[in-house]
Amino acid sequence: MKYFRIEDFTSYSTLFPKLSRREIEILSLFRVGLTRSEIALKLNVSVRTIDTHLNSAMHKYELNSSSEFLKPNRTKTYAKYIY
């Protein structure tokens, strides 16, 4: 299985300044439709580790569920945290 890698974190860091590189990497895979299990397999970590990173990201942006990361208006949702 090929390892997923983001070469340039600049745009992600601008949109999500509170997230770590690993949280951004996991969130990117989650946004393209991979399940937690698929992400864990792709990154060679446990599902619990994926859940920990997603929960940390949710906490940083005061979200109630990880599905809120999938909403189309996510830019508006996070705008108050960016500026």
Side-chain angles (χ1 to χ4, degrees), residues 3-61:
Y3 182 75
F4 176 79
R5 184 179 200 94
I6 297 174
E7 297 297 326
D8 182 17
F9 280 85
T10 307
S11 60
Y12 291 98
S13 296
T14 301
L15 185 58
F16 300 107
K18 295 181 181 182
L19 300 184
S20 70
R21 296 184 112 203
R22 191 60 157 183
E23 289 166 344
I24 290 171
E25 185 175 31
I26 290 169
L27 182 58
S28 297
L29 291 168
F30 187 68
R31 292 258 325 135
V32 296
L34 271 64
T35 65
R36 288 174 165 84
S37 298
E38 291 169 333
I39 296 169
L41 283 172
K42 190 174 254 327
L43 299 179
N44 197 29
V45 296
S46 71
V47 174
R48 177 81 172 115
T49 299
I50 301 303
D51 286 339
T52 299
H53 284 296
L54 286 174
N55 286 332
S56 174
M58 287 173 11
H59 177 73
K60 289 176 182 180
Y61 285 97

Side-chain angles (χ1 to χ4, degrees), residues 59-83:
H59 177 73
K60 289 176 182 180
Y61 285 97
E62 301 173 11
L63 303 177
N64 296 318
S65 73
S66 56
S67 64
E68 290 187 55
F69 281 122
L70 301 176
K71 290 183 179 178
N73 66 343
R74 69 190 185 287
T75 306
K76 291 179 186 173
T77 303
Y78 305 123
K80 66 181 178 180
Y81 297 106
I82 296 171
Y83 301 107

